[in-house]
Every structure is written in structure tokens, then in C-alpha cells.
């Protein structure tokens, strides 16, 4: 018979899964209190919720949400990072994992679809959002810059051609 606390934990995880773009299952065993506090602080600064759920309850929540394949990523004690930004938790966890090898992304759920640890690593290696937007804008602006350059070359070429004609007429009149 499930207890009230277990039912509430499953409901809480289901709500977090429904309200986030990404949920990352993270291995965290071996961290000391200072490291755990440091990780939680970094995640909180990035707008990421970090919570430990019992694996059986997490599996139940994932199953009820139709995401049971993501339960395959849970091995041993697992903490979950939930965020509306799909890149920031992966970046924070990847960077923190370099400092503290006990922390590792195991997999997760991105917009309802399971993602592997390798996919999360690729996501974490993306440049920041501002840089991506700048790259897109730069790519879109390049044809406009080229068109402006081509259009400004037309009058200049016309002036050069008229100048050449003038010089030829002056030379022919002088001869």
C-alpha cells in the first residue's frame, strides 16, 4: 500500500516533468557536503531545480508520463535536474563533472523524448544562446551585405566607365 509521501513524491516529479523542457538524471554518489552545496548553488543560479527521488518512485512517475525509456538511465542513487532551458543544466553538470568526477549525467528527457548521456554532452557543448543568436543574425545579414556591396559597385563602375570614355575622347582629340 503506497504511503501519502510516496504518492506526493510521484505527483511532484510528474509535475516537474510536465513543466520543464529537460530533465537530466545525474549520478552524484561520493560528493561531500561542500561539493553538493556548491553544485546546488550553481544549478539554482542557472534556474535549475535539483532533486533526489527514489528510483522506484521516479520510474513510476516516468511510466505514468509515458517516458519509461528514460528510466533505463537510472543506475544507483540518482538526482534529477529540471529546467525550462535545455542547455544550462547540461552545461553546469558537465562543467561541475570536470571538477568533481563523482557527478555524471546518465541520460534524461528532452521535451518528452529520452536522451542519452552522449546527447547531453553534445547539448552542453553548444555555444551560449546569445552567441547562437548572433551567429544566426550574422548568417542572415551576410546576403544583405553582399547585395549592398553589389548595388554600390554599379554607380562606381558607371563612373569609372564614363571616365575611361572621357579620357579616350580627350586622347583622340589631342591626336
Amino acid at each position: 500500500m503506497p504511503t501519502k509521501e510516496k504518492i506526493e513524491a510521484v505527483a511532484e516529479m510528474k509535475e516537474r516533468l510536465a513543466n520543464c523542457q529537460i530533465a537530466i538524471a545525474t549520478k552524484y554518489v561520493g560528493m561531500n557536503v561542500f561539493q553538493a552545496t556548491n553544485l546546488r548553488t550553481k544549478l539554482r543560479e542557472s534556474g535549475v531545480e535539483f532533486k533526489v527521488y527514489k528510483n522506484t518512485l521516479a520510474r513510476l512517475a516516468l511510466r505514468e508520463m509515458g517516458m519509461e525509456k528514460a528510466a533505463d538511465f537510472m543506475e544507483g542513487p540518482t538526482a534529477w535536474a529540471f529546467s525550462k532551458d535545455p542547455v544550462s543544466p547540461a552545461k553546469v553538470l558537465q562543467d561541475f563533472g570536470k571538477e568533481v568526477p563523482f557527478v555524471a549525467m546518465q541520460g534524461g528527457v528532452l521535451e518528452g523524448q529520452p536522451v542519452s548521456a552522449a546527447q547531453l554532452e553534445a547539448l552542453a557543448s553548444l555555444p551560449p544562446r546569445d552567441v547562437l543568436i548572433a551567429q544566426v543574425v550574422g548568417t542572415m545579414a551576410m546576403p544583405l551585405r553582399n547585395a549592398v556591396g553589389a548595388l554600390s559597385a554599379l554607380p562606381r563602375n558607371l563612373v569609372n566607365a564614363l571616365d575611361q570614355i572621357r579620357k579616350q575622347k580627350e586622347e583622340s582629340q589631342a591626336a
Side-chain angles (χ1 to χ4, degrees):
M1 187 84 169
T3 65
K4 181 181 176 186
E5 291 82 20
K6 289 180 181 180
I7 292 170
E8 288 173 355
V10 170
E12 178 185 311
M13 184 166 180
K14 285 172 49 178
E15 181 181 339
R16 287 187 177 179
L17 285 168
N19 294 329
C20 71
Q21 276 196 320
I22 192 163
I24 301 175
T26 308
K27 182 176 97 177
Y28 68 94
V29 174
M31 286 194 303
N32 61 35
V33 174
F34 173 76
Q35 292 167 332
T37 304
N38 192 13
L39 175 60
R40 286 180 186 278
T41 302
K42 287 181 179 185
L43 288 168
R44 197 175 307 112
E45 288 171 356
S46 297
V48 179
E49 296 177 1
F50 193 64
K51 176 92 179 186
V52 177
Y53 291 99
K54 288 187 175 185
N55 285 355
T56 53
L57 300 179
R59 278 190 176 84
L60 184 60
L62 289 166
R63 188 176 317 115
E64 288 180 11
M65 296 287 292
M67 304 173 193
E68 55 272 347
K69 289 188 179 189
D72 296 341
F73 300 124
M74 295 186 298
E75 288 181 22
T78 304
W80 286 85
F82 302 93
S83 179
K84 293 184 189 288
D85 177 7
V87 179
S88 64
K91 280 189 177 298
V92 171
L93 290 167
Q94 182 184 49
D95 291 344
F96 196 80
K98 291 176 185 173
E99 298 171 20
V100 181
F102 305 116
V103 176
M105 295 181 287
Q106 295 173 307
V109 178
L110 177 63
E111 294 183 350
Q113 301 299 316
V115 288
S116 68
Q119 291 169 316
L120 290 171
E121 295 287 334
L123 191 64
S125 66
L126 287 174
R129 184 176 190 270
D130 296 340
V131 173
L132 286 175
I133 289 172
Q135 289 174 345
V136 168
V137 169
T139 302
M140 290 170 50
M142 185 59 72
L144 294 174
R145 275 189 239 130
N146 291 343
V148 168
L151 290 175
S152 68
L154 289 174
R156 185 180 35 214
N157 291 343
L158 178 62
V159 168
N160 288 339
L162 291 174
D163 190 47
Q164 290 295 327
I165 292 170
R166 182 186 56 81
K167 285 181 182 176
Q168 284 178 351
K169 283 190 177 185
E170 287 176 358
E171 288 174 7
S172 63
Q173 287 177 356

